[in-house]
Amino acid sequence: MASRVVAFLKEKDSPVAQIIKYIMCGGLAVAVDMTAFYLFAWLVFPCLRISDPVAQLIQWAGFSIQEISEAELQHNYLIIKVICFLLSNAVVYTLNVLFVFNAGRHRKPVEILLFFGSSLFQFFFIWIGGVLISSFGWEVTYSNITMLLTSMMVNYIIRKNVVFKG
């Protein structure tokens, strides 16, 4: 059984295995992103409304949520998303190279620049997330999840066809 798992993890040419591993690696990166996001949003750069589902969970657990203005919420949201962008992309780049894609289309520095550069599309989704929060009254949690799922799909296509050998 262990040898089959190792063989699966090493397989980079099968599209089915690649998509499964991309989703798994993306899931780990999303877990890093979400954990960092909510720790920062709660403890460092407050940006949760009291009505946010995660804020309610935190309050249910007996902790408090700092109330802030909408302007401060927007500002802190962007700061946190930049931090999470760098952190989660470093994690997913490492996992993608180890388990998902064949490197070698470009030299390593170019590959890294293309990977992070192509990931900049996430900031478009971050902006959309901010619009959903400020203009449409979405809770931060719903906006954040929607942005993450959308950027995950776009990034797969770009990484497979531009950054790596496929």
Side-chain angles (χ1 to χ4, degrees), residues 33-34 37-42 45-55 65 68-70 72-78 80-81 125-126 128-134 136-148:
D33 183 284
M34 298 290 264
F37 179 86
Y38 286 110
L39 286 174
F40 277 108
W42 175 35
F45 299 107
C47 79
L48 295 173
R49 293 183 189 112
I50 300 300
S51 59
D52 189 274
V54 171
I65 296 294
I68 58 171
S69 69
E70 285 295 313
E72 191 176 2
L73 182 146
Q74 287 290 318
H75 180 260
N76 289 352
Y77 172 80
L78 291 175
I80 295 169
K81 291 310 293 181
F125 298 119
I126 290 167
I128 290 173
V131 169
L132 292 173
I133 292 166
S134 63
F136 295 96
W138 281 37
E139 295 298 349
V140 172
T141 295
Y142 302 137
S143 172
N144 194 38
I145 290 170
T146 301
M147 184 279 305
L148 285 170

Side-chain angles (χ1 to χ4, degrees), residues 6 18 39 89 100 112 161:
V6 170
Q18 194 176 58
L39 286 174
N89 274 284
V100 182
I112 292 169
N161 296 305

Side-chain angles (χ1 to χ4, degrees), residues 86-153:
L86 295 171
L87 184 61
S88 64
N89 274 284
V91 168
V92 81
Y93 172 79
T94 302
L95 294 172
N96 280 187
V97 168
L98 290 173
F99 302 114
V100 182
F101 297 113
N102 291 309
R105 183 182 294 239
H106 309 283
R107 290 175 292 126
K108 189 59 75 178
V110 172
E111 181 181 272
I112 292 169
L113 283 173
L114 282 172
F115 188 91
F116 276 84
S118 66
S119 297
L120 290 173
F121 281 114
Q122 288 176 319
F123 285 100
F124 174 70
F125 298 119
I126 290 167
W127 174 78
I128 290 173
V131 169
L132 292 173
I133 292 166
S134 63
S135 297
F136 295 96
W138 281 37
E139 295 298 349
V140 172
T141 295
Y142 302 137
S143 172
N144 194 38
I145 290 170
T146 301
M147 184 279 305
L148 285 170
L149 293 174
T150 305
S151 65
M152 187 184 217
M153 290 182 290

